Amino acid sequence: MEPDEKFNADIELVSRIKAIPTILDVVCLTTGLGFAAVARVTEDSWIACGVRDTIEFGLQPGGELKLDTTICNDIRQTRKLVVIDNVVDDPEFCNHPTPAMYGFQSYISVPITLPDGTFFGTLCGIDAKPIRLNTPATIGMFTLYAEMIGFQLQAHLNLTASAAILLDERRTSELREQFIAVLGHDLRNPLAAIGGGVELIAKTPLNDRAAKIVPMVQSSIARMAGLIDNVMDFARGRLGTGLTLTRAKWDVASLIGQVVSELQSSQPDRLIQTELGLDGPVDCDGSRLSQLVSNLVANALTHGAAESPVHVTAIAKNGILVICVSNAGEQIPPAALERLFEPFERGAMKPSQQGLGLGLYIATQIAKAHGGALSADSTPEETRFVFRMPLT
């Protein structure tokens, strides 16, 4: 059946969580299940929003089952998981009509609940053969992933709601800033739990495909952690406390070289040229300054012309540290250039880009915390970002 139009938003919402296909792969590969799905379950509908199907069960995202024929309907009411290793041996479900109707012997379904307590649906899996699913490891894995999905759904819903609210200038500041501060803190605990769960999975014997998927999940976790850090830096900057610095004497040339080396290794097809004319250490927060340079160079790699190098220069002149990052490519329109360092603006100009559009805003906050400034200019030939900081 085709999904009701009112569920299109739920299907699209789930599709925006890039980790879900990997999660479904992992749960199937580690358990042996042939079908797994993220389902939206309401009081009158069951809609598949994300699917992995190797047993030709026949459902794709948007596919619908009659709610009263599913065990997920019971889970919606009880908010409790259901695990079946073998239907014929299960005293509660051996005579239940659902297994016979859909032809499965093993089954697991865990409720997906948003942090605000709203029931969204289930993370579920089935197979035509009996499978040992009722173990602490399997139940723990499904529970962790369901919690992660719930937090991600809430985050996307809140960000969407915040974006709508931000259109009204009278309510811009307080709602978004308080939300992001809470969001950043509340995401850390489940992310840590997920990371621990993946580490345990990585230590178990895995087939070749699973061994490739686990690093993908770990990479996604690292990216989520980076996004949370950006969100928290944004909150600190906007809530008035500002970014905190731990200043010491740092070899800035070496810091920039390390940042460039890391970004170059991640994009070996791109060329980054450096010219570092610095002698002696600089009094600064090395970690924050590295973050600033990393944000600028990563921005240049993302938005600059792929066939042209990114240039990074650093000099100390007349008591001023000057770091410049430039790239060839499409000129930034003057109207956009005026808003470039505002939060979320970069993502607004290129919606297809991943991330929250906070990198340049955070870079300006790092510059200000050092008593310096970050500026930008853009011509048809070159876009240039310049950080200036007094050395005394």
Side-chain angles (χ1 to χ4, degrees):
M1 296 177 62
E2 291 297 322
D4 191 289
E5 185 176 345
K6 67 182 179 180
F7 291 110
N8 288 340
D10 293 322
I11 297 168
E12 195 275 334
L13 177 63
V14 171
S15 72
R16 286 160 56 189
I17 303 177
K18 304 303 182 183
I20 283 182
T22 303
I23 289 173
L24 297 179
D25 279 342
V26 170
V27 299
C28 287
L29 289 168
T30 55
T31 61
L33 290 167
F35 176 90
V38 172
R40 176 71 167 110
V41 184
T42 69
E43 60 184 5
D44 55 14
S45 299
W46 188 105
I47 304 290
C49 295
V51 173
R52 184 186 190 273
D53 185 4
T54 62
I55 58 174
E56 299 182 352
F57 186 65
L59 278 179
Q60 295 296 325
E64 183 174 1
L65 299 178
K66 290 185 177 181
L67 181 64
D68 58 4
T69 68
T70 70
I71 297 176
C72 290
N73 188 34
D74 300 330
I75 296 172
R76 180 186 66 83
Q77 298 176 45
T78 65
R79 305 285 183 99
K80 295 180 180 179
L81 63 86
V82 172
V83 185
I84 305 172
D85 291 340
N86 189 349
V87 168
V88 298
D89 297 330
D90 192 289
E92 184 177 355
F93 291 97
C94 60
N95 295 317
H96 197 285
T98 295
M101 176 177 294
Y102 294 114
F104 63 79
Q105 293 297 315
S106 52
Y107 173 93
I108 183 169
S109 186
V110 177
I112 297 173
T113 304
L114 307 187
D116 67 4
T118 302
F119 178 83
F120 178 86
T122 60
L123 172 62
C124 53
I126 63 171
D127 202 277
K129 62 182 181 296
I131 296 175
R132 179 64 170 158
L133 300 173
N134 195 7
T135 67
T138 298
I139 292 173
M141 177 178 64
F142 268 76
T143 301
L144 282 173
Y145 282 141
E147 184 176 5
M148 170 188 168
I149 293 169
F151 270 90
Q152 286 288 291
L153 290 169
Q154 182 80 76
H156 282 287
L157 287 170
N158 287 344
L159 285 173
T160 300
S162 293
I165 292 171
L166 289 175
L167 294 176
D168 183 349
E169 291 293 334
R170 294 171 300 176
R171 303 180 63 190
T172 296
S173 181
E174 183 178 353
L175 291 176
R176 182 172 61 191
E177 290 163 358
Q178 290 181 356
F179 155 69
I180 290 177
V182 173
L183 176 65
H185 284 103
D186 286 353
L187 277 177
R188 291 187 187 277
N189 287 341
L191 187 61
I194 294 163
V198 173
E199 284 189 19
L200 290 176
I201 293 173
K203 295 177 182 178
T204 63
L206 301 172
N207 59 33
D208 290 342
R209 185 174 182 184
K212 293 178 181 178
I213 289 175
V214 168
M216 292 169 56
V217 178
Q218 291 172 324
S219 177
S220 295
I221 291 171
R223 182 172 176 273
M224 289 170 63
L227 289 174
I228 292 172
D229 289 339
N230 280 348
V231 166
M232 294 308 300
D233 282 343
F234 168 77
R236 293 186 189 102
R238 295 288 287 225
L239 289 173
T241 58
L243 299 182
T244 58
L245 300 183
T246 303
R247 302 185 74 125
K249 297 293 184 179
W250 287 89
D251 183 347
V252 172
S254 295
L255 290 177
I256 295 174
Q258 182 178 352
V259 169
V260 169
S261 177
E262 291 173 356
L263 291 171
Q264 184 73 81
S265 65
S266 67
Q267 300 193 47
D269 56 327
R270 298 295 302 276
L271 178 61
I272 307 175
Q273 297 178 339
T274 61
E275 184 178 345
L276 308 177
L278 298 173
D279 295 320
V282 174
D283 182 41
C284 64
D285 186 319
S287 177
R288 286 297 191 182
L289 198 60
S290 294
Q291 184 182 3
L292 180 149
V293 174
S294 179
N295 284 352
L296 295 181
V297 177
N299 183 75
L301 290 170
T302 299
H303 300 285
E307 68 277 6
S308 299
V310 170
H311 296 276
V312 181
T313 63
I315 61 171
K317 184 177 181 181
N318 299 326
I320 302 292
L321 171 67
V322 181
I323 299 175
C324 176
V325 177
S326 61
N327 61 271
E330 182 180 349
Q331 180 181 11
I332 302 173
L337 195 63
E338 293 179 359
R339 306 189 309 273
L340 195 60
F341 296 114
E342 296 178 13
F344 308 109
E345 281 302 317
R346 195 61 171 177
M349 285 182 282
K350 289 195 174 183
S352 61
Q353 293 292 340
Q354 292 187 347
L356 298 175
L358 294 174
L360 293 179
Y361 171 79
I362 292 170
T364 63
Q365 297 303 302
I366 295 172
K368 289 178 181 178
H370 281 87
L374 184 62
S375 62
D377 63 82
S378 186
T379 68
E381 293 76 30
E382 181 184 65
T383 294
R384 178 187 297 264
F385 290 85
V386 180
F387 165 64
R388 293 181 176 87
M389 182 192 84
L391 291 173
T392 55

